[in-house]
Amino acid sequence: MSDDIYREIILDHYRNPRNKGKLLDADVSIHDSNPLCGDEIDIHLKVDGEKIKDIKFEGRGCAISQASASMLTEMIMGKPLTSVKDLTKDDILENIGLLNLGPARIKCALLSLKVLKLGMVKYYADRDPDSAKKLQSDSTGM
Amino acid sequence: MSDDIYREIILDHYRNPRNKGKLLDADVSIHDSNPLCGDEIDIHLKVDGEKIKDIKFEGRGCAISQASASMLTEMIMGKPLTSVKDLTKDDILENIGLLNLGPARIKCALLSLKVLKLGMVKYYADRDPDSAKKLQSDSTGM
Amino acid sequence: MMQKGALNVEKIREDFPILKRKVSGGKPLVYLDNAATTQKPLAVINAIHDYYMNYNSNIHRAVHQLAEEATIEFEKTREKVAEFINARSTEEIIFTRNATEAINLVAYSWGRTNVKKEDTIVITEIEHHSNIVPWQILTSEKGAKLKYVGIDDNGYLKLQEYVDYLDSGKKAKLVSVSHMSNVLGTIVPINEIIKMSHEKGIPVVVDGAQSVPHMPVDVQKMDCDFMAFSAHKMLGPTGVGILYVKKEILEKMPPFIGGGDMIKEVHKYETRYNDLPYKFEGGTPNIADVIGFAAAIDYLNNIGMDKVREHEVELTTYALDKISRVRGVTLYGPRNSKDRGGVISFNIGDIHPHDLATIMNDHGVAIRSGHHCAQVLMERLDVPATSRASFYIYNTKEEVDIFVGALEEARRVFKI
Amino acid sequence: MMQKGALNVEKIREDFPILKRKVSGGKPLVYLDNAATTQKPLAVINAIHDYYMNYNSNIHRAVHQLAEEATIEFEKTREKVAEFINARSTEEIIFTRNATEAINLVAYSWGRTNVKKEDTIVITEIEHHSNIVPWQILTSEKGAKLKYVGIDDNGYLKLQEYVDYLDSGKKAKLVSVSHMSNVLGTIVPINEIIKMSHEKGIPVVVDGAQSVPHMPVDVQKMDCDFMAFSAHKMLGPTGVGILYVKKEILEKMPPFIGGGDMIKEVHKYETRYNDLPYKFEGGTPNIADVIGFAAAIDYLNNIGMDKVREHEVELTTYALDKISRVRGVTLYGPRNSKDRGGVISFNIGDIHPHDLATIMNDHGVAIRSGHHCAQVLMERLDVPATSRASFYIYNTKEEVDIFVGALEEARRVFKI
Ligand SMILES: Cc1ncc(COP(=O)(O)O)c(C=O)c1O
Ligand SMILES: Cc1ncc(COP(=O)(O)O)c(C=O)c1O
């Protein structure tokens, strides 16, 4: 089991995270942590019209949460907001290739998605309250 | 069982309590209730030198608590304080002829003794702190 | 005979091992003290047993298999509770020790934040001490006032008193009211109370300790802001209470019990609290019993709360009729079974309720006697105490007959 | 081999059914998460079962036989707890939901009465969140201050900091300190702390959540003013905490949870509270689990707390030695087993503790990972999290070996 989870690519993203760091002129920055284990993620977004122009993350935590965040940034960099908005849990789990995580570890894998959704809630708050509301409700229970 | 408890004499004391009422020139008056069931007893004592010159009680509650109080007043009226001070649970249970009460009902039977002890704590507080202390500890857990 | 009733009681009784017990030297147990706590079906007893035998573990914070299993089962109960009372989400369901602690949570957290000097909190004369004392403590601390809505001589709430109070322009900060009296059985017109209160912007706490176990309750339909009840009064284990709070209110409430599990991040001098509902659950929860409670909810759902209510109305009607024929009996509370739960309070002659309970016990009949934690109501009824028989799904008309027979015996012992 | 140790562990293991369980697809369970919660012996599981099968009833207020039986058993536990920690009387023993609620009771009741603006409450860097957050809430409400006593790099309390603080003439209103760290295992010099504090008239709360289960504790010898601990960490059921308070202090404390059972008389606008300890136990208690807890105390008494401690020292010494030989391991806390409990925190290479716990779990080994509800300590250690293995009476050296083997496996998986 462990060998399936901690594949080369996960360890690589964990040890060499992509898009890690601050983003000085971010449009949105958001922070959250997993109360169950203390993993933390900050996401900084730069939005250019209708797409993600730049994204960076900061964080600390387990290989799963950090690799997942790193892989998420690669996945959505440059993507239109409309598609990013609708990302599901399964998209993320597929992206990192971990479909068999137990309920505790799945929270690690989804923390970056949760932070991303909360960031987009902030972004849409005034621009599109309906989307903000939906994203908010998506993010609860993650 | 019930027939053993609710003998003629208990019902008689319940329905025709002795020494019931107020005592206007009491030296000590004390009130307590049984939190488990709400039975209430007030005892008023008039002490003459070293003996109980007069005693009255007020109260409401079950046949056991009220008959026990009534029988207690008869038992100690005119008795020297020194002997009243040392009354035990067993003395009371023997006095009312109920030796087989369960833990809930025994509290009813002993409520008047508890109140009496607390009254004597008050009486001895300044006069004889050691006796007061002993009586206080006797009364807890009754 | 039972087959004709709302429930198949004979079958239900087989699920409750304790009902086979003999007491008082060989008498079959007739358990009529259900308003105090109910008995537990084997499914609940086994769920607790199974937890300790197979997957006992602390929850939420660990990765190992036992912890995952325990966490899943624990949170399943929350889902079942939310569904049972039709809450919008599990975030609105907080586990406490009992209904009492649930009401105290409201008084401490919401109360201390919102209640100010001279404010008024409205309760009623039928309240259980658990819905009186927390408000006495709060109002006396804040210099606020407590107002009681009265009852009439048949045990019905004098709703008009509350209407008049509001109409006269007087304000209330909060209304807290029992949905069903644990002494009189009275079911209060909770929907009206809530509607009237909301029109004036007053939130309502419902003490559902007696209603949730005995009838269908839908917090969204009722639109209450808070609701408290206890698992042990509805087939569940002791040690589990439930507080329902509307999410938008809960979001603004400060925490109550501080400690592990209710935090997101603790630093030396500041702390970020956890998401709902965990923010309100400090320390290791009563894991085994919360899990056991799920089996109780399943059991009740299987029967159907409509049927539970129907059975109790039937039994109460039967019992009221029988008891009222016993000479010397005084009955308290509404006489129409549709307006009340299966809780019958009474007195008989000059027999004190404790003495009556002792005599009943000799016949294997477990009833409760005393003030039932409702001394304000006792003062209103002008009695020091009452006797109380209360029913649940496993009680039968035959048991009512045994109970009434024992009443006649009591008259003989007391020579009345 | 076990026969040579302090305990007959093989025999003890037979009393814990869960230890026969297989996890992660067939691996025998190696349960090393005892600081979070311990497993329960059959005697405890059966006591709860027996209660529900035979004499489940609400207590204190009723006359019938079930209620009497339940009340007697419930109060027996109180006697056993008092004896176990050598309290002077059962009046000093309050049942709460858990250690967390016990500490909150002190903070709400004693704290709100006694702590004023500008007062200081002293705690330490090793505290569990349950002994931090209640004081943060209290001090922020009162405008009071929180002071932390630090630890040195070996995990020992810097007692001198507290000595200096007191010597400099600074005041403290209360000291609250963990007797044993749930992360480092450190046993603090509690007798000195209490003696020093009492010389300045400062009362002391002892968080005994980790010490009472694992070593002999005597509240009279220690002379603490308050002590909190949890049944579930000492073979008992979930849902039961204990607060010990010296009677003379308890007598002056206002109530915390208001409701049924904690009152003597309730009137509309005033209430007389019940005798000790009932004044502090509002609502229906967790009856079944309090009764179950008695069986846990009996079990520990049968073994002897000296022996429990001896066994853990032996096992900890063995484990510290073995773990320290694994390449890449960093150990936290005192290295001398005499100064610590059987709780071992560590990290290994760049493997995050959650990942390590996942790998351990694959080998059937249940350890905990994370901040262990001690984030202030994590900040002090400058790590986001640690892994933690913790022992109890049923753990063996063979289990330590399996655990250490799994550590080596983790190194392989993470290629370090
Ligand atoms: C030192 C310490 N204090 C307090 C607690 C809180 O115990 P509980 O969660 O049972 O309230 C724990 C256990 O988690 C602990 O280890
Ligand atoms: C109406 C009502 N409210 C509150 C309570 C308190 O419930 P608990 O003792 O479980 O906290 C009870 C039960 O005794 C009750 O009948």
Side-chain angles (χ1 to χ4, degrees), chain D residues 153-155 183-186 320 329-335 340 343-349 377-378 381-387:
Chain D
D153 291 338
N154 295 317
V183 177
L184 304 177
T186 314
L320 283 173
V329 158
T330 311
L331 279 164
Y332 306 100
R335 294 303 282 270
R340 58 180 294 158
V343 178
I344 301 181
S345 276
F346 62 96
N347 268 311
I348 174 166
L377 177 58
M378 295 294 121
L381 298 175
D382 198 23
V383 292
T386 72
S387 294

PDB file of all heavy atoms in Angstrom, chain D residues 153-155 183-186 320 329-335 340 343-349 377-378 381-387:
ATOM      1  N   ASP D 153      16.362  22.170  26.144  1.00  0.00           N
ATOM      2  CA  ASP D 153      16.437  21.414  24.893  1.00  0.00           C
ATOM      3  C   ASP D 153      16.298  19.912  25.093  1.00  0.00           C
ATOM      4  O   ASP D 153      16.107  19.168  24.136  1.00  0.00           O
ATOM      5  CB  ASP D 153      17.747  21.736  24.160  1.00  0.00           C
ATOM      6  CG  ASP D 153      17.730  23.169  23.636  1.00  0.00           C
ATOM      7  OD1 ASP D 153      16.608  23.713  23.478  1.00  0.00           O
ATOM      8  OD2 ASP D 153      18.803  23.741  23.409  1.00  0.00           O
ATOM      9  N   ASN D 154      16.391  19.463  26.335  1.00  0.00           N
ATOM     10  CA  ASN D 154      16.166  18.047  26.590  1.00  0.00           C
ATOM     11  C   ASN D 154      14.722  17.758  27.006  1.00  0.00           C
ATOM     12  O   ASN D 154      14.397  16.641  27.393  1.00  0.00           O
ATOM     13  CB  ASN D 154      17.130  17.554  27.668  1.00  0.00           C
ATOM     14  CG  ASN D 154      18.558  17.630  27.192  1.00  0.00           C
ATOM     15  OD1 ASN D 154      18.860  17.267  26.053  1.00  0.00           O
ATOM     16  ND2 ASN D 154      19.433  18.154  28.038  1.00  0.00           N
ATOM     17  N   GLY D 155      13.911  18.806  26.981  1.00  0.00           N
ATOM     18  CA  GLY D 155      12.501  18.582  27.292  1.00  0.00           C
ATOM     19  C   GLY D 155      12.172  18.699  28.772  1.00  0.00           C
ATOM     20  O   GLY D 155      11.052  18.412  29.182  1.00  0.00           O
ATOM     21  N   VAL D 183       3.582  14.537  24.973  1.00  0.00           N
ATOM     22  CA  VAL D 183       4.424  14.491  23.772  1.00  0.00           C
ATOM     23  C   VAL D 183       5.828  14.008  24.126  1.00  0.00           C
ATOM     24  O   VAL D 183       6.351  13.082  23.521  1.00  0.00           O
ATOM     25  CB  VAL D 183       4.513  15.884  23.106  1.00  0.00           C
ATOM     26  CG1 VAL D 183       5.449  15.837  21.911  1.00  0.00           C
ATOM     27  CG2 VAL D 183       3.127  16.357  22.696  1.00  0.00           C
ATOM     28  N   LEU D 184       6.395  14.639  25.131  1.00  0.00           N
ATOM     29  CA  LEU D 184       7.787  14.336  25.488  1.00  0.00           C
ATOM     30  C   LEU D 184       7.878  13.274  26.568  1.00  0.00           C
ATOM     31  O   LEU D 184       8.947  12.717  26.801  1.00  0.00           O
ATOM     32  CB  LEU D 184       8.474  15.603  25.996  1.00  0.00           C
ATOM     33  CG  LEU D 184       8.447  16.797  25.036  1.00  0.00           C
ATOM     34  CD1 LEU D 184       9.087  18.008  25.690  1.00  0.00           C
ATOM     35  CD2 LEU D 184       9.158  16.448  23.739  1.00  0.00           C
ATOM     36  N   GLY D 185       6.773  13.041  27.243  1.00  0.00           N
ATOM     37  CA  GLY D 185       6.797  12.104  28.358  1.00  0.00           C
ATOM     38  C   GLY D 185       7.335  12.723  29.650  1.00  0.00           C
ATOM     39  O   GLY D 185       7.193  12.135  30.726  1.00  0.00           O
ATOM     40  N   THR D 186       7.918  13.899  29.545  1.00  0.00           N
ATOM     41  CA  THR D 186       8.503  14.560  30.717  1.00  0.00           C
ATOM     42  C   THR D 186       7.584  14.534  31.939  1.00  0.00           C
ATOM     43  O   THR D 186       6.427  14.923  31.848  1.00  0.00           O
ATOM     44  CB  THR D 186       8.776  16.053  30.406  1.00  0.00           C
ATOM     45  OG1 THR D 186       9.411  16.137  29.141  1.00  0.00           O
ATOM     46  CG2 THR D 186       9.607  16.697  31.512  1.00  0.00           C
ATOM     47  N   LEU D 320      13.577   3.290  23.599  1.00  0.00           N
ATOM     48  CA  LEU D 320      14.456   4.440  23.329  1.00  0.00           C
ATOM     49  C   LEU D 320      15.769   3.954  22.740  1.00  0.00           C
ATOM     50  O   LEU D 320      16.287   4.531  21.772  1.00  0.00           O
ATOM     51  CB  LEU D 320      14.723   5.221  24.624  1.00  0.00           C
ATOM     52  CG  LEU D 320      13.595   6.143  25.118  1.00  0.00           C
ATOM     53  CD1 LEU D 320      13.934   6.707  26.494  1.00  0.00           C
ATOM     54  CD2 LEU D 320      13.345   7.276  24.126  1.00  0.00           C
ATOM     55  N   VAL D 329      16.816   9.164  12.774  1.00  0.00           N
ATOM     56  CA  VAL D 329      15.800   9.456  13.798  1.00  0.00           C
ATOM     57  C   VAL D 329      16.236  10.605  14.706  1.00  0.00           C
ATOM     58  O   VAL D 329      17.391  10.672  15.130  1.00  0.00           O
ATOM     59  CB  VAL D 329      15.520   8.202  14.653  1.00  0.00           C
ATOM     60  CG1 VAL D 329      14.915   8.586  15.998  1.00  0.00           C
ATOM     61  CG2 VAL D 329      14.572   7.264  13.918  1.00  0.00           C
ATOM     62  N   THR D 330      15.322  11.520  14.956  1.00  0.00           N
ATOM     63  CA  THR D 330      15.505  12.528  15.998  1.00  0.00           C
ATOM     64  C   THR D 330      14.529  12.231  17.130  1.00  0.00           C
ATOM     65  O   THR D 330      13.327  12.116  16.887  1.00  0.00           O
ATOM     66  CB  THR D 330      15.170  13.947  15.464  1.00  0.00           C
ATOM     67  OG1 THR D 330      15.855  14.139  14.236  1.00  0.00           O
ATOM     68  CG2 THR D 330      15.539  15.012  16.474  1.00  0.00           C
ATOM     69  N   LEU D 331      15.024  12.094  18.346  1.00  0.00           N
ATOM     70  CA  LEU D 331      14.156  11.826  19.496  1.00  0.00           C
ATOM     71  C   LEU D 331      13.952  13.109  20.291  1.00  0.00           C
ATOM     72  O   LEU D 331      14.878  13.916  20.431  1.00  0.00           O
ATOM     73  CB  LEU D 331      14.810  10.779  20.400  1.00  0.00           C
ATOM     74  CG  LEU D 331      14.653   9.318  19.980  1.00  0.00           C
ATOM     75  CD1 LEU D 331      15.659   8.459  20.720  1.00  0.00           C
ATOM     76  CD2 LEU D 331      13.230   8.848  20.268  1.00  0.00           C
ATOM     77  N   TYR D 332      12.746  13.290  20.804  1.00  0.00           N
ATOM     78  CA  TYR D 332      12.467  14.469  21.627  1.00  0.00           C
ATOM     79  C   TYR D 332      12.228  14.036  23.072  1.00  0.00           C
ATOM     80  O   TYR D 332      11.708  12.949  23.312  1.00  0.00           O
ATOM     81  CB  TYR D 332      11.247  15.212  21.094  1.00  0.00           C
ATOM     82  CG  TYR D 332      11.376  15.556  19.628  1.00  0.00           C
ATOM     83  CD1 TYR D 332      10.745  14.783  18.656  1.00  0.00           C
ATOM     84  CD2 TYR D 332      12.151  16.628  19.213  1.00  0.00           C
ATOM     85  CE1 TYR D 332      10.883  15.070  17.300  1.00  0.00           C
ATOM     86  CE2 TYR D 332      12.304  16.929  17.858  1.00  0.00           C
ATOM     87  CZ  TYR D 332      11.657  16.147  16.906  1.00  0.00           C
ATOM     88  OH  TYR D 332      11.808  16.442  15.576  1.00  0.00           O
ATOM     89  N   GLY D 333      12.592  14.898  24.000  1.00  0.00           N
ATOM     90  CA  GLY D 333      12.289  14.610  25.408  1.00  0.00           C
ATOM     91  C   GLY D 333      13.425  13.940  26.138  1.00  0.00           C
ATOM     92  O   GLY D 333      14.414  13.520  25.539  1.00  0.00           O
ATOM     93  N   PRO D 334      13.293  13.839  27.453  1.00  0.00           N
ATOM     94  CA  PRO D 334      14.341  13.289  28.320  1.00  0.00           C
ATOM     95  C   PRO D 334      14.768  11.899  27.864  1.00  0.00           C
ATOM     96  O   PRO D 334      13.942  11.089  27.454  1.00  0.00           O
ATOM     97  CB  PRO D 334      13.662  13.216  29.700  1.00  0.00           C
ATOM     98  CG  PRO D 334      12.577  14.242  29.654  1.00  0.00           C
ATOM     99  CD  PRO D 334      12.100  14.251  28.245  1.00  0.00           C
ATOM    100  N   ARG D 335      16.050  11.632  27.973  1.00  0.00           N
ATOM    101  CA  ARG D 335      16.547  10.329  27.565  1.00  0.00           C
ATOM    102  C   ARG D 335      16.547   9.331  28.711  1.00  0.00           C
ATOM    103  O   ARG D 335      16.677   8.135  28.484  1.00  0.00           O
ATOM    104  CB  ARG D 335      17.969  10.459  26.991  1.00  0.00           C
ATOM    105  CG  ARG D 335      17.996  11.257  25.689  1.00  0.00           C
ATOM    106  CD  ARG D 335      17.072  10.617  24.641  1.00  0.00           C
ATOM    107  NE  ARG D 335      17.657   9.452  24.018  1.00  0.00           N
ATOM    108  CZ  ARG D 335      18.392   9.505  22.933  1.00  0.00           C
ATOM    109  NH1 ARG D 335      18.602  10.647  22.303  1.00  0.00           N
ATOM    110  NH2 ARG D 335      18.933   8.405  22.447  1.00  0.00           N
ATOM    111  N   ARG D 340      10.547  10.172  32.784  1.00  0.00           N
ATOM    112  CA  ARG D 340       9.537  10.326  31.752  1.00  0.00           C
ATOM    113  C   ARG D 340       8.578   9.146  31.745  1.00  0.00           C
ATOM    114  O   ARG D 340       8.853   8.078  32.283  1.00  0.00           O
ATOM    115  CB  ARG D 340      10.206  10.435  30.395  1.00  0.00           C
ATOM    116  CG  ARG D 340      11.086   9.231  30.079  1.00  0.00           C
ATOM    117  CD  ARG D 340      11.722   9.387  28.724  1.00  0.00           C
ATOM    118  NE  ARG D 340      10.693   9.349  27.710  1.00  0.00           N
ATOM    119  CZ  ARG D 340      10.816   9.854  26.497  1.00  0.00           C
ATOM    120  NH1 ARG D 340      11.935  10.457  26.154  1.00  0.00           N
ATOM    121  NH2 ARG D 340       9.848   9.777  25.621  1.00  0.00           N
ATOM    122  N   VAL D 343       5.958   7.553  26.616  1.00  0.00           N
ATOM    123  CA  VAL D 343       5.484   8.303  25.446  1.00  0.00           C
ATOM    124  C   VAL D 343       6.719   8.736  24.686  1.00  0.00           C
ATOM    125  O   VAL D 343       7.531   9.482  25.221  1.00  0.00           O
ATOM    126  CB  VAL D 343       4.730   9.568  25.917  1.00  0.00           C
ATOM    127  CG1 VAL D 343       4.287  10.382  24.714  1.00  0.00           C
ATOM    128  CG2 VAL D 343       3.568   9.217  26.808  1.00  0.00           C
ATOM    129  N   ILE D 344       6.876   8.273  23.464  1.00  0.00           N
ATOM    130  CA  ILE D 344       8.099   8.583  22.720  1.00  0.00           C
ATOM    131  C   ILE D 344       7.771   9.336  21.442  1.00  0.00           C
ATOM    132  O   ILE D 344       7.102   8.814  20.552  1.00  0.00           O
ATOM    133  CB  ILE D 344       8.877   7.295  22.391  1.00  0.00           C
ATOM    134  CG1 ILE D 344       9.244   6.573  23.704  1.00  0.00           C
ATOM    135  CG2 ILE D 344      10.128   7.616  21.567  1.00  0.00           C
ATOM    136  CD1 ILE D 344      10.031   5.298  23.504  1.00  0.00           C
ATOM    137  N   SER D 345       8.245  10.578  21.382  1.00  0.00           N
ATOM    138  CA  SER D 345       8.035  11.393  20.183  1.00  0.00           C
ATOM    139  C   SER D 345       9.315  11.458  19.385  1.00  0.00           C
ATOM    140  O   SER D 345      10.404  11.569  19.958  1.00  0.00           O
ATOM    141  CB  SER D 345       7.613  12.806  20.576  1.00  0.00           C
ATOM    142  OG  SER D 345       6.244  12.864  20.804  1.00  0.00           O
ATOM    143  N   PHE D 346       9.168  11.421  18.074  1.00  0.00           N
ATOM    144  CA  PHE D 346      10.373  11.420  17.239  1.00  0.00           C
ATOM    145  C   PHE D 346      10.034  11.852  15.820  1.00  0.00           C
ATOM    146  O   PHE D 346       8.856  11.943  15.447  1.00  0.00           O
ATOM    147  CB  PHE D 346      11.002  10.013  17.217  1.00  0.00           C
ATOM    148  CG  PHE D 346      10.073   8.979  16.614  1.00  0.00           C
ATOM    149  CD1 PHE D 346      10.183   8.619  15.268  1.00  0.00           C
ATOM    150  CD2 PHE D 346       9.074   8.392  17.380  1.00  0.00           C
ATOM    151  CE1 PHE D 346       9.320   7.681  14.709  1.00  0.00           C
ATOM    152  CE2 PHE D 346       8.203   7.454  16.820  1.00  0.00           C
ATOM    153  CZ  PHE D 346       8.328   7.101  15.484  1.00  0.00           C
ATOM    154  N   ASN D 347      11.071  12.114  15.059  1.00  0.00           N
ATOM    155  CA  ASN D 347      10.920  12.295  13.625  1.00  0.00           C
ATOM    156  C   ASN D 347      12.000  11.501  12.932  1.00  0.00           C
ATOM    157  O   ASN D 347      12.996  11.111  13.556  1.00  0.00           O
ATOM    158  CB  ASN D 347      10.989  13.781  13.242  1.00  0.00           C
ATOM    159  CG  ASN D 347       9.602  14.402  13.213  1.00  0.00           C
ATOM    160  OD1 ASN D 347       8.683  13.845  12.608  1.00  0.00           O
ATOM    161  ND2 ASN D 347       9.438  15.543  13.884  1.00  0.00           N
ATOM    162  N   ILE D 348      11.800  11.254  11.660  1.00  0.00           N
ATOM    163  CA  ILE D 348      12.792  10.462  10.935  1.00  0.00           C
ATOM    164  C   ILE D 348      12.967  11.041   9.538  1.00  0.00           C
ATOM    165  O   ILE D 348      12.005  11.123   8.756  1.00  0.00           O
ATOM    166  CB  ILE D 348      12.389   8.959  10.919  1.00  0.00           C
ATOM    167  CG1 ILE D 348      13.318   8.131  10.043  1.00  0.00           C
ATOM    168  CG2 ILE D 348      10.945   8.755  10.532  1.00  0.00           C
ATOM    169  CD1 ILE D 348      13.151   6.618  10.281  1.00  0.00           C
ATOM    170  N   GLY D 349      14.208  11.508   9.285  1.00  0.00           N
ATOM    171  CA  GLY D 349      14.536  12.103   7.995  1.00  0.00           C
ATOM    172  C   GLY D 349      13.543  13.197   7.621  1.00  0.00           C
ATOM    173  O   GLY D 349      13.102  13.954   8.483  1.00  0.00           O
ATOM    174  N   LEU D 377       4.081  23.607  22.144  1.00  0.00           N
ATOM    175  CA  LEU D 377       5.294  22.799  22.277  1.00  0.00           C
ATOM    176  C   LEU D 377       5.942  22.548  20.907  1.00  0.00           C
ATOM    177  O   LEU D 377       7.171  22.590  20.770  1.00  0.00           O
ATOM    178  CB  LEU D 377       4.960  21.478  22.974  1.00  0.00           C
ATOM    179  CG  LEU D 377       6.104  20.483  23.145  1.00  0.00           C
ATOM    180  CD1 LEU D 377       7.257  21.095  23.943  1.00  0.00           C
ATOM    181  CD2 LEU D 377       5.609  19.211  23.829  1.00  0.00           C
ATOM    182  N   MET D 378       5.113  22.302  19.886  1.00  0.00           N
ATOM    183  CA  MET D 378       5.653  22.095  18.537  1.00  0.00           C
ATOM    184  C   MET D 378       6.434  23.338  18.104  1.00  0.00           C
ATOM    185  O   MET D 378       7.527  23.228  17.533  1.00  0.00           O
ATOM    186  CB  MET D 378       4.530  21.813  17.522  1.00  0.00           C
ATOM    187  CG  MET D 378       3.762  20.519  17.745  1.00  0.00           C
ATOM    188  SD  MET D 378       4.741  19.020  17.519  1.00  0.00           S
ATOM    189  CE  MET D 378       4.559  18.271  19.127  1.00  0.00           C
ATOM    190  N   LEU D 381       9.694  23.295  19.833  1.00  0.00           N
ATOM    191  CA  LEU D 381      10.596  22.290  19.266  1.00  0.00           C
ATOM    192  C   LEU D 381      10.961  22.636  17.829  1.00  0.00           C
ATOM    193  O   LEU D 381      11.846  22.037  17.235  1.00  0.00           O
ATOM    194  CB  LEU D 381       9.950  20.899  19.289  1.00  0.00           C
ATOM    195  CG  LEU D 381       9.574  20.286  20.648  1.00  0.00           C
ATOM    196  CD1 LEU D 381       8.840  18.957  20.438  1.00  0.00           C
ATOM    197  CD2 LEU D 381      10.814  20.068  21.518  1.00  0.00           C
ATOM    198  N   ASP D 382      10.216  23.605  17.288  1.00  0.00           N
ATOM    199  CA  ASP D 382      10.414  24.057  15.913  1.00  0.00           C
ATOM    200  C   ASP D 382      10.188  22.934  14.904  1.00  0.00           C
ATOM    201  O   ASP D 382      10.956  22.757  13.969  1.00  0.00           O
ATOM    202  CB  ASP D 382      11.808  24.671  15.749  1.00  0.00           C
ATOM    203  CG  ASP D 382      11.874  25.533  14.493  1.00  0.00           C
ATOM    204  OD1 ASP D 382      10.807  25.987  14.028  1.00  0.00           O
ATOM    205  OD2 ASP D 382      12.992  25.736  13.965  1.00  0.00           O
ATOM    206  N   VAL D 383       9.150  22.158  15.129  1.00  0.00           N
ATOM    207  CA  VAL D 383       8.729  21.146  14.151  1.00  0.00           C
ATOM    208  C   VAL D 383       7.226  21.312  13.951  1.00  0.00           C
ATOM    209  O   VAL D 383       6.519  21.734  14.864  1.00  0.00           O
ATOM    210  CB  VAL D 383       9.001  19.709  14.641  1.00  0.00           C
ATOM    211  CG1 VAL D 383      10.504  19.458  14.715  1.00  0.00           C
ATOM    212  CG2 VAL D 383       8.341  19.435  15.980  1.00  0.00           C
ATOM    213  N   PRO D 384       6.738  21.012  12.742  1.00  0.00           N
ATOM    214  CA  PRO D 384       5.288  21.107  12.553  1.00  0.00           C
ATOM    215  C   PRO D 384       4.571  19.962  13.251  1.00  0.00           C
ATOM    216  O   PRO D 384       3.416  20.094  13.643  1.00  0.00           O
ATOM    217  CB  PRO D 384       5.112  21.014  11.042  1.00  0.00           C
ATOM    218  CG  PRO D 384       6.358  20.402  10.524  1.00  0.00           C
ATOM    219  CD  PRO D 384       7.451  20.673  11.501  1.00  0.00           C
ATOM    220  N   ALA D 385       5.245  18.852  13.411  1.00  0.00           N
ATOM    221  CA  ALA D 385       4.578  17.672  13.950  1.00  0.00           C
ATOM    222  C   ALA D 385       5.626  16.657  14.364  1.00  0.00           C
ATOM    223  O   ALA D 385       6.793  16.767  13.980  1.00  0.00           O
ATOM    224  CB  ALA D 385       3.648  17.075  12.889  1.00  0.00           C
ATOM    225  N   THR D 386       5.197  15.690  15.163  1.00  0.00           N
ATOM    226  CA  THR D 386       6.071  14.558  15.470  1.00  0.00           C
ATOM    227  C   THR D 386       5.266  13.270  15.331  1.00  0.00           C
ATOM    228  O   THR D 386       4.038  13.295  15.267  1.00  0.00           O
ATOM    229  CB  THR D 386       6.648  14.603  16.907  1.00  0.00           C
ATOM    230  OG1 THR D 386       5.594  14.298  17.843  1.00  0.00           O
ATOM    231  CG2 THR D 386       7.255  15.956  17.243  1.00  0.00           C
ATOM    232  N   SER D 387       5.993  12.166  15.298  1.00  0.00           N
ATOM    233  CA  SER D 387       5.349  10.864  15.445  1.00  0.00           C
ATOM    234  C   SER D 387       5.453  10.482  16.908  1.00  0.00           C
ATOM    235  O   SER D 387       6.401  10.875  17.598  1.00  0.00           O
ATOM    236  CB  SER D 387       6.072   9.822  14.592  1.00  0.00           C
ATOM    237  OG  SER D 387       5.896  10.145  13.229  1.00  0.00           O
TER     238      SER D 387
END
